Amino acid sequence: MNKRLVLIDGSSYLFRAFHALPPLSNAQGEPTGALFGVVNMLRAHLKDKPDYIAFVMDASGPTFRDELDPQYKANRPPMPDDLRAQIEPLMAIVQALGLPIIRESGVEADDVIGTLALQAAAGGVDVTVSTGDKDMAQLVRPGVGLVNTMSGSKLDSDEAVVAKFGVKPAQIIDYLSLVGDAVDNIPGVPKCGPKTAAKWLGEYATLDGVIANAGKISGKIGESLRATLPRLPLNYQLATIRTDVSLPERHDELAMRERDVEALRVLYARYGFNQALKELDGAAVPESAGAAMPKAPTGLRGFVAPPVIAGDIDPQLSRPGEYECVVDEKQLKTWADALAQASMFAFDTETDGLDPMQANLVGISLSTVAGKACYIPIGHVAAGEQQLALDTVIAALKPAFADPGKLKIAQNGKFDLHILHRHGLDVLPPLGDTLLESFVLDSSQRHDMDTQAKRLLGMDTIHYEDVTGKGAKQISFAQVALDVATNYAAEDADVTLRLHEVLSPKLAGEPKLDGVYRDIELPLVPVLARIERNGVLIDAAELRTQSAELSRRMLEAQQRATELAGRAINLDSPKQLGALLFDELKLPALVKTPGGAPSTNEEALEAIADQHELPRVILDYRGLAKLRSTYTEKLPEMINPRSGRVHTNYNQAGAATGRLSSNDPNLQNIPIRTEEGRRIREAFVAPPGRVIVACDYSQIELRIMAHLSEDPALLRAFASGEDVHRATAAEVFGKALDAVSSNERRAAKAINFGLMYGMGAFGLARQLGVPRGEAQDYIGLYFSRYPGVRDYMERTRVQAREQGYVETVFGRRLYLPYIASRNQAQRAGAERAAINAPMQGTAADIIKRAMVAVDAWLQPQNDQGLMIMQVHDELVFECDGGFADTLRAEVGQRMAGAADLRVPLVVDSGSGANWEQAH
DNA sequence: TGCTCCTGCAA
DNA sequence: TATTGCAGGAGCA
């Protein structure tokens, strides 16, 4: 057996732990979050008892890379004080643990690790590099592997690197040179992302190969590559980890020293590491430290036990599961009995499609105990008599799924609720949902199960596409062989239960977040499921008529454009339009796209509309084409043939602020602002005898701003029921309410909205079409009239910077990783998000609460009224004609009562034969 | 067929 | 150089 060397990239972990963990502190108020993460990670490595180990940190001062490129890492924010303060304590703990520490100036930790890794591998030692830095993938080779204990991922073979990056370890430097690195300020090839880089390297093998063949790569991206050619060799040098650093110690001198128990005891106590302290006193840690959950905070006042973090993954969490395929009644009974005994269980469904309103049930998986799960095939095509009948399975499971004493846990349970409901099995509360647990804990993370399993359990799960294939060759899950299906599907239930066991205590440790999860998100799941299931009736004939009219007018515009251009032109192609307008016709290109090309967007075309007839024609065409392709043509296609209605999907974990989003189709962006766009809403209809009712919050986000800022003038305006934009205009322009002109009101409205998004004078000037100085004056006047708003915004920025997150009124949290960035644009963006999120997020919380309350009232009304849509500040219903007034009153009352703010919540409503009329 | 960009719809 | 989303078409390989 080879000896083993573990090289720990201390700098990368410290930085990542700092940003991944809450800003904890000990009883003395010293920051400890990052320290805690890194120390836990270290302890996990030590349990492995490697033969050699080193903790490698960046030294201070410049390195050879700074000499190569003065811009290198120029965008790096300075190290936050709270992070800097944790370095010395960390070094003290590492020292006391007995780990060799290496800090070498003039190079980075990467280079030290690269050198030691190759040296050791050459000497027949198995090397594990523990790092959070993907650049290190270039070191992977026989004898050298990477592990990231924070994400739980492992890169220990060519195949693993290829799976992650699409290129081999030997091509990683070439890959990084092309893609670049925003964090290190290495500019790659514009428009070349990971996929493109991997593709080129697949074709030409090396960066030199790509450079040599740059002439063959066509299109814009080819131009982009050729423009960047001179820079690439430097990128290659910067991305190359050195493996020839001369170091004071050889790899085989890096043995553990005796640890200094007394020093550790003092340090652990000081920083509040209770678990570590216990282990120190309790001698060896039991291998099956079964209690994977963090201990509740005991002793040591002021220290909050952090949630389980990736660096602290217990190996027990990722142990393989035992999975059973249930094909006869005896097995089924055994599992039904297990459900009957259990207080909670996880479940998952497999289907033959992704549309919850159409897909058929193919199988159900269950787990009552982490590590044990079953799969019950039902709709597999080749299973023959091997599988139980749907009715048998449903009958056996029904009692458990309806039991109010059992917690039923799923990942994105709304989908499974739909599928099971359509197959005769209703899932009744209480529910648990790992998607929502993860979303509430940190909305900026990814919440898909594979990612969560890796991050929280250290598990590499089987991916759906591993089982079904993908693209044209993809097969339905119904065609998957039973043994393969069992391994995949049972694992899903197993992992769901394991995730819940990790996430649930994390939430319990954050009472406000737990409240958001339990009181807002979970109760909403069945409500959303009902809204989606209800669907909305679409008048397809009306849309077809509109489509024909739009087509006719588009053709006219197209013909006129051809005349004006003197040649054929594709009006749908920004590229062709740009060439025509700016190259051939020499019109001024006043706006640039984010990619740097001259833009043909509405603003750019409006700006040159007085110089040529064509821009106006293009604008007309665009407006028509948008309506036709996105709405009048698409919506009829989305009608479900079984129900005759359109069923959107609401994504409950989509928007970081807590808003819902809608897709397939998106019913939250149906036009309203233009006359012809608004007509689309006439096709959202009620069946005979029924009407559409729409209820929306009036100025909800501004009201929340008034509540949060407690600004007297703003509070007064809302309290007295004034038109708030008019009131703002009166304040800003120093006039009586009834003396405000429509233009002044328009300006005030722009200020009100702009401020909520963190807009500056530049943006307001552009919005209003006034000089920047004038816009600045408006903003100045605004803040002098509403000083509470100014103070609130400043408080929010400070809070975001200090805590790393902002909160809604109900305690929902949004983390802002870029809030302390030294990159001015990134930081400014994070500040704008920080200002907007509490308002947008609180509004989302409020309407979610309202939906739950409205649904509770509506459910017993026997379908006299159905909730059918949510559009951020609006709820839409379909109801019996005679029920409309009742519904408007009852809904309005519940929406207005969904929160108790310092200003009243006002709800407007209307009804009519279609959605347009209901407004 | 999948990726990337540009454009534009809503609150 | 105004937030949060979803989605269509073009262009490319």
Side-chain angles (χ1 to χ4, degrees):
Chain A
M1 177 106 167
N2 289 340
K3 298 218 168 187
R4 288 181 304 131
L5 165 67
V6 173
L7 295 166
I8 298 166
D9 185 351
S11 298
S12 95
Y13 278 127
L14 187 65
F15 188 78
R16 281 176 169 73
F18 179 74
H19 288 100
L21 296 179
L24 306 166
S25 58
N26 66 1
Q28 290 79 42
E30 296 165 309
T32 60
L35 194 53
F36 188 89
V38 179
V39 170
N40 271 325
M41 185 272 296
L42 280 179
R43 291 169 55 232
H45 275 304
L46 292 178
K47 282 182 198 170
D48 267 359
K49 302 210 190 323
D51 302 283
Y52 309 113
I53 189 165
F55 188 81
V56 187
M57 287 286 286
D58 285 333
S60 51
T63 70
F64 70 96
R65 288 192 181 82
D66 296 292
E67 285 176 29
L68 284 174
D69 178 10
Q71 290 303 305
Y72 179 66
K73 294 197 175 174
N75 283 342
R76 275 279 168 94
M79 187 179 286
D81 290 342
D82 275 4
L83 176 54
R84 187 182 301 280
Q86 296 182 61
I87 293 181
E88 282 318 309
L90 175 63
M91 300 318 281
I93 292 176
V94 174
Q95 182 80 30
L97 282 168
L99 264 82
I101 299 173
I102 305 181
R103 293 178 99 166
E104 193 68 17
S105 59
V107 295
E108 295 178 27
D110 296 12
D111 304 303
V112 173
I113 289 172
T115 302
L116 284 169
L118 262 57
Q119 189 188 96
V125 174
D126 284 336
V127 181
T128 300
V129 176
S130 183
T131 180
D133 187 350
K134 66 176 186 324
D135 296 10
M136 298 279 233
Q138 63 187 268
L139 297 176
V140 173
R141 62 201 65 200
V144 181
L146 252 52
V147 58
N148 177 352
T149 56
M150 296 214 49
S151 67
S153 63
K154 239 185 209 169
L155 291 175
D156 52 7
S157 64
D158 279 18
E159 294 72 46
V161 174
V162 170
K164 184 164 167 79
F165 296 99
V167 299
K168 295 178 187 159
Q171 296 170 304
I172 287 287
I173 306 173
D174 313 73
Y175 168 94
L176 293 169
S177 306
L178 290 168
V179 175
D181 187 331
V183 179
D184 287 348
N185 204 29
I186 299 178
V189 175
K191 298 187 172 58
C192 174
K195 302 282 177 183
T196 307
K199 195 178 61 191
W200 288 347
L201 290 171
E203 202 160 338
Y204 304 117
T206 63
L207 182 63
D208 286 339
V210 174
I211 293 174
N213 290 284
K216 293 187 194 161
I217 295 170
S218 57
K220 226 170 167 178
I221 194 151
E223 288 169 31
S224 173
L225 169 63
R226 287 185 286 279
T228 320
L229 285 180
R231 166 79 204 189
L232 295 178
L234 177 59
N235 285 1
Y236 192 89
Q237 278 185 283
L238 291 170
T240 304
I241 293 174
R242 281 181 55 184
T243 56
D244 59 352
V245 181
S246 98
L247 294 169
E249 283 158 305
R250 290 175 40 82
H251 70 271
D252 49 11
E253 296 169 294
L254 299 170
M256 290 283 296
R257 294 187 313 275
E258 181 89 0
R259 61 181 186 168
D260 182 342
V261 176
E262 282 319 302
L264 282 175
R265 197 187 309 283
V266 171
L267 287 161
Y268 285 166
R270 167 162 178 185
Y271 294 105
F273 298 165
N274 298 351
Q275 183 66 33
L277 201 53
K278 267 192 202 159
E279 289 178 15
L280 204 57
D281 294 326
V285 195
E287 199 57 36
S288 60
M293 301 306 126
K295 295 283 175 283
T298 53
L300 292 180
R301 250 179 331 120
F303 174 71
V304 182
V308 173
I309 55 131
D312 200 21
I313 293 178
D314 188 311
Q316 276 295 101
L317 286 178
S318 61
R319 71 192 183 281
E322 290 170 34
Y323 303 143
E324 175 185 1
C325 186
V326 173
V327 292
D328 62 38
E329 302 218 9
K330 185 167 164 239
Q331 287 176 294
L332 182 63
K333 170 136 189 357
T334 306
W335 275 93
D337 291 346
L339 292 188
Q341 295 298 314
S343 63
M344 66 167 83
F345 65 91
F347 69 100
D348 186 35
T349 60
E350 301 304 332
T351 65
D352 60 4
L354 289 177
D355 180 351
M357 306 311 297
Q358 305 217 43
N360 298 300
L361 185 61
V362 171
I364 300 175
S365 46
L366 303 165
S367 173
T368 56
V369 163
K372 276 193 164 182
C374 74
Y375 178 59
I376 312 173
I378 293 168
H380 284 259
V381 287
E385 293 163 12
Q386 283 241 339
Q387 76 193 330
L388 290 160
L390 173 69
D391 292 348
T392 311
V393 175
I394 299 291
L397 300 183
K398 202 158 215 159
F401 278 87
D403 187 342
K406 289 189 201 312
L407 184 67
K408 301 100 190 162
I409 305 156
Q411 158 81 8
N412 189 21
K414 179 156 62 65
F415 179 86
D416 305 282
L417 257 53
H418 279 306
I419 299 295
L420 292 176
H421 175 83
R422 288 185 26 247
H423 290 80
L425 183 58
D426 274 314
V427 187
L428 300 182
L431 306 177
D433 195 322
T434 50
L435 173 78
L436 299 174
E437 288 175 325
S438 174
F439 177 66
V440 169
L441 277 165
D442 183 353
S443 63
S444 60
Q445 293 271 357
R446 293 184 52 176
H447 316 292
D448 61 285
M449 204 169 68
D450 293 337
T451 305
Q452 288 198 65
K454 216 157 211 201
R455 194 173 76 233
L456 300 167
L457 307 174
M459 269 176 91
D460 282 304
T461 46
I462 307 169
H463 306 301
Y464 189 76
E465 286 171 356
D466 298 339
V467 175
T468 60
K470 62 173 179 172
K473 285 178 301 202
Q474 187 168 41
I475 56 170
S476 156
F477 201 86
Q479 294 166 285
V480 174
L482 286 194
D483 53 344
V484 178
T486 300
N487 275 335
Y488 169 82
E491 182 184 77
D492 272 3
D494 178 21
V495 168
T496 301
L497 190 60
R498 297 191 202 206
L499 284 174
H500 174 75
E501 290 181 350
V502 171
L503 292 167
S504 164
K506 278 188 171 202
L507 271 174
E510 299 277 3
K512 278 198 265 184
L513 296 183
D514 198 47
V516 171
Y517 172 67
R518 283 176 200 293
D519 303 337
I520 299 179
E521 301 298 356
L522 272 186
L524 188 63
V525 173
V527 179
L528 288 177
R530 272 190 282 276
I531 296 176
E532 293 174 4
R533 190 193 309 151
N534 290 338
V536 54
L537 189 62
I538 298 289
D539 183 345
E542 166 65 25
L543 289 179
R544 270 193 292 275
T545 307
Q546 292 189 24
S547 256
E549 168 72 7
L550 291 168
S551 299
R552 190 185 60 70
R553 292 171 59 193
M554 280 164 68
L555 188 60
E556 279 178 15
Q558 176 69 257
Q559 285 168 344
R560 183 66 187 139
T562 307
E563 282 172 32
L564 289 166
R567 63 179 176 84
I569 172 113
N570 181 352
L571 294 177
D572 288 323
S573 166
K575 189 179 167 182
Q576 293 186 30
L577 288 177
L580 175 62
L581 293 168
F582 307 124
D583 295 341
E584 291 178 34
L585 298 175
K586 305 281 182 227
L587 291 164
L590 301 166
V591 184
K592 292 255 182 286
T593 69
S599 172
T600 65
N601 70 11
E602 182 175 358
E603 188 190 353
L605 296 181
E606 284 289 354
I608 52 175
D610 53 352
Q611 297 175 45
H612 199 283
E613 192 186 336
L614 193 53
R616 178 63 56 200
V617 176
I618 297 168
L619 284 168
D620 289 343
Y621 174 87
R622 283 247 180 97
L624 303 168
K626 174 82 180 180
L627 293 177
R628 195 178 96 101
S629 65
T630 310
Y631 303 106
T632 63
E633 287 291 303
K634 278 285 142 32
L635 285 172
E637 289 175 20
M638 303 297 291
I639 295 173
N640 181 313
R642 307 172 192 217
S643 65
R645 299 166 73 101
V646 168
H647 306 269
T648 187
N649 174 60
Y650 288 102
N651 187 346
Q652 203 178 345
T657 52
R659 267 194 184 181
L660 299 178
S661 71
S662 153
N663 57 49
D664 297 310
N666 182 354
L667 296 185
Q668 292 180 321
N669 71 344
I670 304 301
I672 190 167
R673 292 179 193 189
T674 67
E675 183 60 40
E676 49 206 352
R678 194 178 265 263
R679 287 187 57 205
I680 309 262
R681 294 184 173 223
E682 293 174 5
F684 285 67
V685 295
R690 307 266 277 182
V691 293
I692 300 291
V693 172
C695 308
D696 67 287
Y697 284 111
S698 162
Q699 310 292 0
I700 186 164
E701 293 192 14
L702 271 179
R703 286 173 199 268
I704 293 165
M705 184 162 88
H707 170 85
L708 290 169
S709 70
E710 301 186 53
D711 183 277
L714 206 51
L715 289 175
R716 198 181 328 121
F718 280 122
S720 56
E722 285 165 14
D723 170 345
V724 69
H725 299 314
R726 181 167 294 274
T728 299
E731 291 283 356
V732 170
F733 299 108
K735 292 189 167 178
L737 274 178
D738 51 14
V740 168
S741 74
S742 66
N743 213 29
E744 286 163 341
R745 184 180 181 281
R746 189 178 64 87
K749 186 173 172 183
I751 298 174
N752 278 331
F753 280 112
L755 284 174
M756 285 194 299
Y757 300 142
M759 182 170 66
F762 181 96
L764 182 61
R766 199 170 63 171
Q767 174 75 28
L768 292 176
V770 300
R772 192 172 160 177
E774 195 175 327
Q776 185 61 59
D777 291 345
Y778 291 161
I779 293 175
L781 269 168
Y782 180 95
F783 281 136
S784 71
R785 296 297 177 179
Y786 299 103
V789 175
R790 184 191 55 213
D791 294 348
Y792 163 70
M793 291 189 170
E794 189 47 34
R795 275 205 309 282
T796 305
R797 286 192 194 90
V798 170
Q799 189 200 8
R801 222 166 5 246
E802 288 179 351
Q803 301 184 148
Y805 62 84
V806 291
E807 281 179 325
T808 68
V809 169
F810 295 93
R812 183 192 300 279
R813 212 174 263 184
L814 176 64
Y815 287 95
L816 298 155
Y818 287 107
I819 197 73
S821 170
R822 197 156 61 84
N823 177 316
Q824 138 81 15
Q826 283 182 347
R827 188 179 65 247
E831 286 183 357
R832 290 193 296 269
I835 286 181
N836 178 255
M839 295 182 264
Q840 192 181 112
T842 299
D845 292 342
I846 290 175
I847 196 164
K848 283 176 170 179
R849 287 163 55 95
M851 291 165 76
V852 172
V854 167
D855 179 77
W857 168 74
L858 210 46
Q859 275 304 103
Q861 309 296 327
N862 298 323
D863 294 351
Q864 290 180 91
L866 300 174
M867 205 179 333
I868 59 172
M869 286 190 279
Q870 188 256 39
V871 193
H872 305 307
D873 65 358
E874 174 182 6
L875 296 178
V876 184
F877 303 83
E878 172 191 304
C879 73
D880 292 347
F883 194 59
D885 290 343
T886 307
L887 187 117
R888 285 172 61 176
E890 297 285 340
V891 169
Q893 185 190 324
R894 283 167 178 79
M895 287 175 72
D900 188 17
L901 304 183
R902 295 182 181 94
V903 292
L905 283 177
V906 172
V907 176
D908 299 325
S909 65
S911 68
N914 58 56
W915 194 10
E916 212 284 311
Q917 281 180 24
H919 262 282

